[in-house]
Amino acid sequence: MNHKIKLPVKLLILLVCSAPGALLSLPQANQDQDQIARQREAPTYKVQSNLVVVDVTVRDKKGNPIRDLNKGDFTVYEDNVPQQIVTFSLENIPVSREESVEESAPKAQPSKPTVNFGTTPTAERKPEEVQDKRLIILFFDLASLETEDLIRSVETAEDFVSKKSTPYDLLAIATYSSTLQIVQDFTNDRVVLLDALKHLNPTEAGDATQEDLGDPDTSEDDYVPDDTQFNIFNTDRRLSSLETLAKMYREVPVRKSLIYFSSGIETTGIENQSQIRSTVDSANRSNLSIYAVDSRGLVALPPGGAASKGSPRGNALFSGMAMSRQMDNLSSSQETLTTLAHDTGGTAFQDTNQLDLVFTKVVTDTQSYYVLGYYTSNAKEDGKFRRIRVEVNRPELKIQYRPGYFASKQFLKLTQTERDRQLEEALAVDRPFSDLPFILDADYFKEDANSCVVPVSLQLAGEGVQFEEKGNRREAQFEFLAQVTDPKGKVAGVARDIVQVRLPVQKAEKIKAGQILYTTGFQLRPGPYTLKFLIRDNRSGKLGSFEQPLEVPVMDGKKLQTSSIVLGSRLVDTAETSQGVQHSGFGERFRMLAIKSDPLKIEDKRIVPSIGNIFLSRQTLYVYFQVYGAGEDPQTKKPSLETHLMFLKDKSKVLESQPYQVSDWAKDEKGVATVSMAIPLRSLKRGRYALQIHLRDEVNDANLFQRVPLVVD
């Protein structure tokens, strides 16, 4: 039986600029405010031009490619306005190994060198490596492909690579299960490609493939989160991964073909159509054509449905409605594939068992074509569609090219759906974002016998915040998105929030020289995870990301254990409200259950974790943690714990605290004891220390030692 636990999240943001425990730290007193003001007034000049690349296939009446045209033979129009062609090239690629040999033999050329972008740094890649090359991306949708469909797809690709590919064919391999993965970058090394494909073939890869494909674990211990908490954006992540692939190879100037092996894409509504448009636009701007392959081949639908599903109820089986619905579902899953192919200049292959036809079509379409580039004369960033028209000054020639593209759009002009899609894409891609630098710290506390509460605290540099002037006030808006995944890529937790900040001018200026603290939390089962956090400034569109491994231990209370050791220099009043701060809710669709108790709460105060454990010698160090598995005195029904703190520097003791006694359980949490200690740091010199914590359970005569590094500045 699978256990579904709805995500508990508690969000806290404090905005106090003068009291201890301030969220938004003040600038240091010795900073030169006049110099800062002059820097802000300095003008910045930017020159931006948008290069539009369009490939044109030119054939005669018989369908033979025309290869003797020059730049003067073409005229390009954008929205009926002539454009100046600034780049021009002819790509002429052999279509077979025999033609490849014939081309090089008369010139006595050596064999074509091996190209492998997977082992070549980006800075060392040369333009001539892709000149007159056919670039093909093999994209396997592991999330939709059944085992037999995956085998058929991989074997088709293996057949092309081993028997029909030439040195002029550069192939890349990508997969999607829950995230996008580049298995192999562009290369013409057939040995490397076949080895990569072999690891995708279930018949050759062995047992490890099942784990790689993310097959569901049906054991009772498997933690299955509530899907409604994770489907934050009603868009298809497969389309988003296609869009990401297109953007990754946008800088490669030649035409690219993407062969998409899948078992169909189910549409989810009007927002899905928005994602389709975005994916198509990214592909067109990247000069990438999508060739969609339905790997199910020729599908035979049983009238009563497949044996894996129950028979339809009522009279649907006898009236023909059941069969009609099956046909509708099949057509719906193929409709998006057709749209992707048609709108990007590719072809959709459906209802056929000859999957190899897709390679024949790709080779034919990319045999010979011209690449034209121009800088658009329309500099508006309005996001509107720009229609392209290409003319050739020779009569009776057939030309083929993409119909146009969507112009870029300023961030402030993006719709909410487009902004959501941007965050989703940023969360799925492996690359980091550093426009908004921040650091975070994740701790763990026992929630119950099967789960832990994981509070996450992060600090954002105030200098990266863009405030908007609103009279005598300044406004800023941040969007926070976090995701926790297990080793198989399954989503175990999601948190999202939009924070609106409205402050007087003076406070806003102080914040820009300080820090912003934000906290949220998750409820997780024990095990290893990966935490990824995104922050976006909704005024400028700047993004920041942070990713780290997260290990949640087993807290079964069978032995003496502690939670995370939390160190801080500030305590804040839990009843204190945040002036100037508003959190945007998302209604029932994004409802999140509150954690039953705040693990960082100490009576009526809350400890603010020091991320990085960096302190000033004039501060007081607060040490806080919970104890589990302590013995209970049979007479008093209470624990008897003693804690010592010791500061070590170069393995030598430099400071020791007085013993701290715990003789009662935490309020409303029998079996949980709380340790909260404070020690001034004024006697410590600058340097690195190790804080050693000695916990003794006098009831069970048990001892526990832990060390935490910290820095005194």
Side-chain angles (χ1 to χ4, degrees):
M1 177 178 179
N2 291 329
H3 303 282
K4 291 193 174 183
I5 303 176
K6 293 187 177 180
L7 172 67
V9 172
K10 188 167 185 177
L11 305 170
L12 172 67
I13 184 167
L14 305 174
L15 192 59
V16 185
C17 295
S18 58
L23 163 69
L24 305 175
S25 305
L26 301 180
Q28 298 181 2
N30 59 356
Q31 285 188 335
D32 188 348
Q33 298 295 335
D34 293 337
Q35 182 179 358
I36 295 176
R38 288 194 298 271
Q39 291 176 352
R40 290 174 184 156
E41 294 173 358
T44 301
Y45 301 96
K46 294 183 179 180
V47 178
Q48 182 176 2
S49 57
N50 297 319
L51 179 66
V52 180
V53 179
V54 55
D55 59 82
V56 183
T57 301
V58 184
R59 301 181 183 276
D60 60 19
K61 290 183 177 180
K62 297 181 179 180
N64 299 316
I66 302 298
R67 300 186 177 94
D68 61 345
L69 300 177
N70 55 50
K71 183 170 68 173
D73 295 322
F74 291 89
T75 304
V76 179
Y77 298 87
E78 182 178 291
D79 290 339
N80 295 322
V81 177
Q83 306 293 317
Q84 181 181 359
I85 300 174
V86 296
T87 62
F88 177 86
S89 64
L90 169 65
E91 300 293 325
N92 191 24
I93 309 170
V95 297
S96 65
R97 293 183 181 179
E98 292 76 10
E99 185 178 343
S100 174
V101 173
E102 292 174 0
E103 180 182 287
S104 58
K107 302 178 183 179
Q109 293 179 349
S111 60
K112 290 293 179 180
T114 300
V115 177
N116 190 345
F117 283 3
T119 59
T120 306
T122 304
E124 299 179 8
R125 297 176 185 175
K126 302 176 182 179
E128 54 266 26
E129 288 183 317
V130 297
Q131 183 70 30
D132 290 330
K133 299 292 194 304
R134 182 181 295 106
L135 273 62
I136 304 175
I137 304 172
L138 305 179
F139 184 45
F140 298 91
D141 185 355
L142 304 182
S144 70
L145 287 168
E146 298 291 340
T147 302
E148 59 272 19
D149 298 337
L150 175 60
I151 294 173
R152 188 183 302 114
S153 303
V154 173
E155 289 180 348
T156 301
E158 289 175 333
D159 184 72
F160 173 78
V161 172
S162 61
K163 299 179 181 179
K164 300 179 182 179
S165 66
T166 73
Y168 295 90
D169 295 319
L170 301 184
L171 280 78
I173 302 173
T175 63
Y176 172 82
S177 54
S178 58
T179 58
L180 174 65
Q181 181 181 3
I182 305 299
V183 178
Q184 172 60 48
D185 211 335
F186 282 118
T187 183
N188 56 3
D189 190 329
R190 290 197 292 270
V191 175
V192 172
L193 290 169
L194 289 173
D195 183 66
L197 290 171
K198 179 180 179 181
H199 285 80
L200 294 178
N201 194 332
T203 62
E204 300 181 11
D207 296 337
T209 303
Q210 296 304 321
E211 181 176 352
D212 295 338
L213 299 182
D215 284 352
D217 184 358
T218 57
S219 64
E220 291 188 3
D221 293 334
D222 189 25
Y223 172 50
V224 181
D226 186 352
D227 289 342
T228 59
Q229 303 296 339
F230 308 133
N231 295 330
I232 296 182
F233 313 109
N234 189 22
T235 56
D236 198 304
R237 295 193 176 210
R238 301 169 191 170
L239 296 177
S240 181
S241 64
L242 284 171
E243 182 178 1
T244 301
L245 265 178
K247 292 181 178 180
M248 287 175 59
Y249 292 111
R250 180 166 294 176
E251 301 304 321
V252 182
V254 299
R255 177 175 178 173
K256 298 164 286 290
S257 303
L258 186 146
I259 300 178
Y260 178 31
F261 292 100
S262 80
S263 296
I265 298 180
E266 296 292 340
T267 55
T268 57
I270 187 64
E271 294 173 5
N272 188 277
Q273 300 302 313
S274 177
Q275 177 64 69
I276 291 175
R277 164 181 156 166
S278 179
T279 302
V280 168
D281 177 49
S282 294
N284 285 333
R285 291 176 63 86
S286 301
N287 208 15
L288 182 144
S289 298
I290 297 176
Y291 293 79
V293 180
D294 187 344
S295 298
R296 293 171 293 187
L298 186 60
V299 179
L301 299 176
S308 59
K309 298 181 180 179
S311 299
R313 298 181 179 180
N315 62 357
L317 184 61
F318 307 99
S319 64
M321 290 297 296
M323 192 65 186
S324 177
R325 281 197 291 265
Q326 290 185 68
M327 294 297 299
D328 290 343
N329 291 335
L330 176 63
S331 299
S332 176
S333 67
Q334 295 178 339
E335 181 181 359
T336 303
L337 297 178
T338 303
T339 300
L340 290 173
H342 179 270
D343 291 354
T344 59
T347 304
F349 292 82
Q350 300 165 356
D351 302 323
T352 177
N353 293 328
Q354 293 181 281
L355 303 187
D356 59 319
L357 293 178
V358 65
F359 287 99
T360 303
K361 179 62 174 175
V362 169
V363 170
T364 302
D365 287 352
T366 56
Q367 177 182 1
S368 179
Y369 62 93
Y370 297 88
V371 180
L372 312 179
Y374 66 92
Y375 291 108
T376 175
S377 59
N378 187 351
K380 295 180 180 179
E381 294 183 336
D382 52 13
K384 294 183 178 180
F385 185 76
R386 309 280 177 80
R387 189 167 298 279
I388 295 176
R389 188 173 86 254
V390 180
E391 295 181 354
V392 181
N393 61 6
R394 292 190 191 179
E396 299 183 348
L397 293 181
K398 299 179 180 180
I399 60 176
Q400 180 181 354
Y401 54 89
R402 61 187 173 102
Y405 70 98
F406 287 94
S408 60
K409 196 171 184 179
Q410 294 180 359
F411 178 78
L412 291 179
K413 295 181 179 180
L414 296 179
T415 65
Q416 187 59 48
T417 300
E418 292 169 333
R419 294 188 180 193
D420 289 348
R421 187 170 59 248
Q422 183 199 57
L423 272 185
E424 182 190 35
E425 178 184 330
L427 193 66
V429 74
D430 289 335
R431 59 156 289 194
F433 300 90
S434 57
D435 290 339
L436 286 180
F438 69 95
I439 57 176
L440 65 78
D441 176 70
D443 301 304
Y444 56 85
F445 293 83
K446 181 180 178 181
E447 173 73 359
D448 52 42
N450 299 314
S451 64
C452 287
V453 174
V454 180
V456 179
S457 305
L458 65 88
Q459 285 184 359
L460 168 67
E463 61 184 3
V465 178
Q466 178 173 318
F467 282 95
E468 182 179 4
E469 297 185 8
K470 294 286 187 178
N472 60 349
R473 305 184 70 82
R474 298 293 182 266
E475 295 185 3
Q477 188 183 89
F478 309 99
E479 193 152 0
F480 298 87
L481 178 61
Q483 179 175 276
V484 180
T485 55
D486 66 12
K488 292 184 178 181
K490 295 181 181 178
V491 178
V494 169
R496 185 185 181 207
D497 191 20
I498 299 178
V499 179
Q500 180 76 37
V501 181
R502 296 181 177 88
L503 294 173
V505 177
Q506 292 182 345
K507 285 188 177 182
E509 291 300 316
K510 291 178 180 179
I511 288 171
K512 297 188 72 171
Q515 301 282 332
I516 295 177
L517 175 69
Y518 180 86
T519 66
T520 186
F522 301 91
Q523 183 181 3
L524 300 173
R525 294 280 297 273
Y529 298 93
T530 298
L531 169 64
K532 187 168 185 179
F533 216 109
L534 283 175
I535 301 178
R536 182 175 64 193
D537 184 341
N538 278 350
R539 300 291 178 183
S540 63
K542 292 182 178 179
L543 283 169
S545 65
F546 195 99
E547 186 172 351
Q548 72 171 38
L550 177 64
E551 184 74 30
V552 179
V554 177
M555 295 288 189
D556 53 14
K558 296 181 180 180
K559 60 181 180 179
L560 190 63
Q561 292 177 294
T562 70
S563 67
S564 294
I565 309 297
V566 179
L567 307 183
S569 60
R570 296 178 288 180
L571 297 177
V572 297
D573 190 344
T574 56
E576 189 172 9
T577 59
S578 302
Q579 288 186 331
V581 175
Q582 292 181 351
H583 296 261
S584 297
F586 295 89
E588 289 300 315
R589 184 180 176 191
F590 300 106
R591 66 189 185 279
M592 296 179 179
L593 303 180
I595 297 172
K596 67 181 182 181
S597 62
D598 186 349
L600 298 181
K601 183 179 179 181
I602 309 173
E603 296 180 350
D604 60 343
K605 301 290 185 180
R606 189 181 192 277
I607 186 171
V608 178
S610 174
I611 302 177
N613 292 342
I614 301 176
F615 302 89
L616 301 176
S617 59
R618 64 174 180 269
Q619 293 178 326
T620 296
L621 172 66
Y622 297 98
V623 181
Y624 174 76
F625 58 92
Q626 293 180 352
V627 182
Y628 318 111
E632 183 179 75
D633 188 287
Q635 297 180 352
T636 63
K637 303 298 182 181
K638 294 181 179 180
S640 180
L641 299 169
E642 183 178 274
T643 304
H644 290 83
L645 300 182
M646 183 183 298
F647 291 84
L648 303 175
K649 185 175 178 61
D650 298 329
K651 298 183 180 180
S652 299
K653 181 179 68 176
V654 295
L655 181 64
E656 186 175 5
S657 69
Q658 295 295 322
Y660 179 84
Q661 301 290 334
V662 177
S663 57
D664 206 350
W665 299 116
K667 184 179 180 181
D668 300 328
E669 292 187 271
K670 189 174 182 180
V672 178
T674 300
V675 175
S676 176
M677 303 179 65
I679 182 169
L681 300 177
R682 57 179 177 270
S683 61
L684 296 181
K685 298 180 180 180
R686 297 180 61 182
R688 297 180 178 273
Y689 296 86
L691 174 63
Q692 179 173 287
I693 300 172
H694 176 203
L695 176 67
R696 175 172 174 76
D697 180 2
E698 297 180 345
V699 175
N700 291 333
D701 192 23
N703 293 276
L704 183 65
F705 292 87
Q706 292 201 44
R707 287 189 178 183
V708 181
L710 76 156
V711 177
V712 177
D713 197 0

